[in-house]
Amino acid sequence: MKRKVTLKQIARELDVSISTVSKALRNSIEISEDTRQKVKAFAKLYNYRPNNIALSLKNRKTKTIGVIIPEIVHHFFSNVIRGIEQVANNRGYNVIIGLSNESFSKEVINMEMLANGSIDGFILSISKETLLRQDYHHFNETINQGMPIVLFDRAVEEINCDKIIVDDVKGSKKAVEKLISNGCKNIGIITTKDYVSVGRLRTQGYIAALEDSKIHPKASLILKIDVELDSEDHLEDLENEIEQFFNNNKHIDGIFAVNELYAITAMKVARKKGIKMPDKLQIIGFTDGVLSKHATPSLTTVSQHAQKMGEKAADLLIDRLELDIDNEVEEEHYKTIVIETELIERESTK
Amino acid sequence: MKRKVTLKQIARELDVSISTVSKALRNSIEISEDTRQKVKAFAKLYNYRPNNIALSLKNRKTKTIGVIIPEIVHHFFSNVIRGIEQVANNRGYNVIIGLSNESFSKEVINMEMLANGSIDGFILSISKETLLRQDYHHFNETINQGMPIVLFDRAVEEINCDKIIVDDVKGSKKAVEKLISNGCKNIGIITTKDYVSVGRLRTQGYIAALEDSKIHPKASLILKIDVELDSEDHLEDLENEIEQFFNNNKHIDGIFAVNELYAITAMKVARKKGIKMPDKLQIIGFTDGVLSKHATPSLTTVSQHAQKMGEKAADLLIDRLELDIDNEVEEEHYKTIVIETELIERESTK
DNA sequence: TTGTACGCGTTATCAA
DNA sequence: TTGATAACGCGTACAA
């Protein structure tokens, strides 16, 4: 087993100094053609590669991005990561993943673990518990220590940094308008409690679309699901709650759901009740994932372009990282980039 | 903006030496209670945290695991990562993700990028292109340099290391036996080309199950899909190929598909042709993901316990990492852990 | 009880 | 053309 070779070892073998080896490998003209060749040949033979950790220490940057997301088994988030990873890799960065599991404390611990030199900056989406507690001190402290953060999807005003978001209001408005123009008269929404920002915003879009069409939003047509029901373990409870919702709204003919799971579950309930889709009931979801594509009928959704969000987030972060180097000036010009949503029409609407 | 504080800065402020600060913070009894308190108070005030990079360099270990997978937007792989991340975090390790995108060169590049000191060991699943080329030199070189690797799911004999695998043969055998005992007489399989090890093994299981029941495997009932059809972009081609398969096998009454996508697509084709499930056709898939759970009818599948695979892989790797420290002896006792599959019965079988 | 010196692997600066 | 030295941040053996 040949251990990784270092400059020092090469120097010793070739009986030259460490700095000579270093320079030779970097093609410095200071070094004679002769020794340069010799060193390079030797280095190649032993497959020398500079040690990243030593470089990180010296350069005071790790060329690594920390990504913290609430959940990885999720089409949206894994797509975002795919986008981040692609851009990061192309620009010479690695990606460290941390999962918060929607928990405040795991989010904090993960950030602390990474903030101590392991990474150059964060890309993250806030956990539900954090949103609920509205405690954002760990983000602001991190930023204050000079570590840039890019928030995506779940962002809040209280944190002053770059953000990549979807225009949730506009996206859901478009969806609901589609239902209206398709002839739906009783459009319901299945959404989250208001402290989940994306849920709140999408509910806003729903109401705005109705009001624009002079339709008075009815409270009974708005179903706000509790967080706990959002997990895999409570699929049945979710189903029951939605079934109840159907029972309370006999004349419902259109549903806008703020995520895939709610939409797919609504479809399942409707099918059980023998409601024909899209004839008697049209459904639109938010977030374009595998479920939507492969559902029966396939689901019309608002696509958030998750991968593009990841790409933009990575570009934004790396831009800032590499800007800070040249201009030591604090360019406090934080950007908020809005990714346009797109309505992908499938079989669940007419 | 207060930058991260170092031992040196604290030492200067308090007018003591760096090592005094270091010792004080680590509660060394060498240091007087007095200075200890003083130092600790100061450190706390400035929120001192040791720099991970410096520690890594000093200790020659990074407490970071490198994970390279072919694809992240995939229920199986993201579940594995979830398992890895959970164990790694509990044991004080970080997780760096690299994506090979099923490409040989990306796999090599990613590994080289991480192998130069960034991580202590790898957990990975081999890309399809690598399996096709059967070129495993990069793995063996990495192992030779003293960096342990744990392979999961897609593993090969040519690489001598720890492995976490599913008993593909047994798992698919169980599935096909289920179809047989449910009364299916003409059972087809939708699988991959043979160079994809999991596809090959699952095909073996299929054949074994048939032979055990004295059923002669018919070539026409075996459909081997080409890789390219495996991507999102070629969904229609996949559908056409499967439709052709149905046309060639009018009396087919059972299908075993080696992954979720094939199974779900087969269901779609069957539905289009008006074949009632599970009455006229029973289907079982492999890999338990969201698609299976939410399909109509919901799909009976062979679950691989992806998350558990990730947990085991992480434990195995970390065990080896921490073993190498104590015993400098080369414990070349590589383990192969087989994770039992489980047949999850849903509505697509009787 | 405190401080000095060294090493982890690298590069940059300055001296020979 | 080459080499010695310092520095990145930390911990520790040893000296004071």
Side-chain angles (χ1 to χ4, degrees), chain B residues 303-322:
Chain B
S303 164
Q304 304 164 93
H305 299 297
Q307 186 166 344
K308 182 178 282 179
M309 285 185 82
E311 291 167 9
K312 286 274 184 194
D315 268 324
L316 205 51
L317 180 62
I318 297 176
D319 284 349
R320 185 164 294 277
L321 290 174
E322 313 208 319

Side-chain angles (χ1 to χ4, degrees), chain B residues 139-195:
Chain B
F139 300 120
N140 288 316
E141 276 168 16
T142 306
I143 294 169
N144 275 334
Q145 291 187 351
M147 168 133 346
I149 293 182
V150 175
L151 289 178
F152 72 89
D153 194 47
R154 303 190 196 158
V156 295
E157 278 185 10
E158 289 91 328
I159 309 174
N160 193 21
C161 66
D162 291 317
K163 289 160 195 168
I164 310 280
I165 55 171
V166 142
D167 191 337
D168 290 287
V169 179
K170 200 161 146 195
S172 51
K173 195 156 172 264
K174 265 195 287 191
V176 176
E177 282 166 353
K178 174 75 188 172
L179 290 174
I180 295 173
S181 78
N182 274 8
C184 294
K185 301 297 178 196
N186 288 285
I187 302 173
I189 181 173
I190 305 178
T191 181
T192 67
K193 296 278 183 196
D194 278 343
Y195 65 84

Side-chain angles (χ1 to χ4, degrees), chain B residues 332-348:
Chain B
E332 281 263 335
H333 263 39
Y334 290 123
K335 288 186 204 162
T336 292
I337 296 182
V338 178
I339 305 281
E340 284 296 312
T341 57
E342 184 189 355
L343 192 66
I344 299 187
E345 298 188 36
R346 298 209 183 84
E347 303 160 359
S348 68

Side-chain angles (χ1 to χ4, degrees), chain B residues 104-325:
Chain B
F104 174 80
S105 63
K106 267 214 78 183
E107 185 175 86
V108 172
I109 291 171
N110 255 304
M111 284 188 69
E112 282 178 353
M113 195 156 170
L114 296 181
N116 302 316
S118 300
I119 61 163
D120 295 339
F122 279 109
I123 294 177
L124 56 83
S125 195
I126 309 175
S127 82
K128 280 188 189 157
E129 197 189 343
T130 306
L131 290 169
L132 185 55
R133 295 167 69 138
Q134 303 190 36
D135 181 350
Y136 309 119
H137 76 277
H138 48 307
F139 300 120
N140 288 316
E141 276 168 16
T142 306
I143 294 169
N144 275 334
Q145 291 187 351
M147 168 133 346
I149 293 182
V150 175
L151 289 178
F152 72 89
D153 194 47
R154 303 190 196 158
V156 295
E157 278 185 10
E158 289 91 328
I159 309 174
N160 193 21
C161 66
D162 291 317
K163 289 160 195 168
I164 310 280
I165 55 171
V166 142
D167 191 337
D168 290 287
V169 179
K170 200 161 146 195
S172 51
K173 195 156 172 264
K174 265 195 287 191
V176 176
E177 282 166 353
K178 174 75 188 172
L179 290 174
I180 295 173
S181 78
N182 274 8
C184 294
K185 301 297 178 196
N186 288 285
I187 302 173
I189 181 173
I190 305 178
T191 181
T192 67
K193 296 278 183 196
D194 278 343
Y195 65 84
V196 180
S197 53
V198 294
R200 185 182 63 246
L201 294 170
R202 290 170 196 170
T203 309
Q204 274 175 31
Y206 160 82
I207 292 174
L210 293 184
E211 290 179 339
D212 276 9
S213 296
K214 316 287 181 207
I215 303 175
H216 184 67
K218 281 173 58 183
S220 66
L221 280 169
I222 300 178
L223 174 60
K224 293 187 180 174
I225 304 282
D226 232 335
V227 200
E228 296 88 48
L229 297 186
D230 223 26
S231 86
E232 291 280 311
D233 309 330
H234 294 82
L235 229 49
E236 279 195 36
D237 297 341
L238 177 63
E239 215 173 308
N240 292 334
E241 190 143 355
I242 291 178
E243 184 157 7
Q244 193 56 50
F245 180 62
F246 272 92
N247 293 338
N248 296 342
N249 295 285
K250 298 288 183 193
H251 301 299
I252 196 166
D253 56 0
I255 287 183
F256 170 60
V258 300
N259 62 44
E260 233 183 0
L261 181 63
Y262 295 174
I264 245 38
T265 309
M267 278 182 46
K268 190 188 291 181
V269 172
R271 196 180 309 113
K272 210 164 64 178
K273 298 178 87 72
I275 303 173
K276 286 266 179 289
M277 293 165 286
D279 306 338
K280 295 293 169 193
L281 176 67
Q282 299 182 53
I283 301 188
I284 298 184
F286 211 110
T287 304
D288 186 40
V290 272
L291 280 180
S292 307
K293 194 176 300 174
H294 296 286
T296 345
S298 58
L299 185 66
T300 296
T301 58
V302 180
S303 164
Q304 304 164 93
H305 299 297
Q307 186 166 344
K308 182 178 282 179
M309 285 185 82
E311 291 167 9
K312 286 274 184 194
D315 268 324
L316 205 51
L317 180 62
I318 297 176
D319 284 349
R320 185 164 294 277
L321 290 174
E322 313 208 319
L323 182 103
D324 279 3
I325 295 161

Side-chain angles (χ1 to χ4, degrees), chain A residues 152-290:
Chain A
F152 73 89
D153 194 46
R154 304 191 195 155
V156 295
E157 278 185 10
E158 289 91 328
I159 308 174
N160 193 20
C161 66
D162 290 316
K163 289 160 195 167
I164 310 281
I165 54 170
V166 142
D167 190 336
D168 289 287
V169 179
K170 201 161 144 197
S172 52
K173 194 154 172 263
K174 265 195 287 191
V176 177
E177 281 165 355
K178 175 76 190 171
L179 290 174
I180 296 173
S181 78
N182 273 8
C184 295
K185 301 296 176 196
N186 288 287
I187 302 173
I189 180 173
I190 305 178
T191 181
T192 67
K193 297 277 184 195
D194 278 344
Y195 66 83
V196 181
S197 54
V198 295
R200 185 182 63 245
L201 294 170
R202 290 170 195 171
T203 309
Q204 273 175 31
Y206 161 81
I207 292 174
L210 293 185
E211 289 179 340
D212 276 9
S213 296
K214 315 287 180 209
I215 303 175
H216 185 66
K218 281 173 59 182
S220 67
L221 280 169
I222 299 178
L223 174 60
K224 293 187 180 175
I225 305 282
D226 232 334
V227 200
E228 296 89 48
L229 296 187
D230 222 25
S231 86
E232 291 279 311
D233 309 331
H234 294 82
L235 229 49
E236 279 195 37
D237 297 340
L238 177 64
E239 216 173 306
N240 291 336
E241 189 144 356
I242 291 179
E243 184 156 6
Q244 194 56 48
F245 181 61
F246 271 92
N247 293 340
N248 295 344
N249 294 284
K250 298 288 184 194
H251 300 302
I252 197 165
D253 57 0
I255 287 183
F256 170 59
V258 301
N259 62 43
E260 235 184 356
L261 180 64
Y262 295 173
I264 237 62
T265 309
M267 277 182 46
K268 189 187 290 180
V269 172
R271 195 179 311 112
K272 210 163 64 178
K273 298 180 88 72
I275 303 173
K276 285 268 178 285
M277 294 165 286
D279 306 338
K280 295 293 169 195
L281 177 66
Q282 298 182 55
I283 300 187
I284 297 184
F286 212 110
T287 303
D288 185 40
V290 272

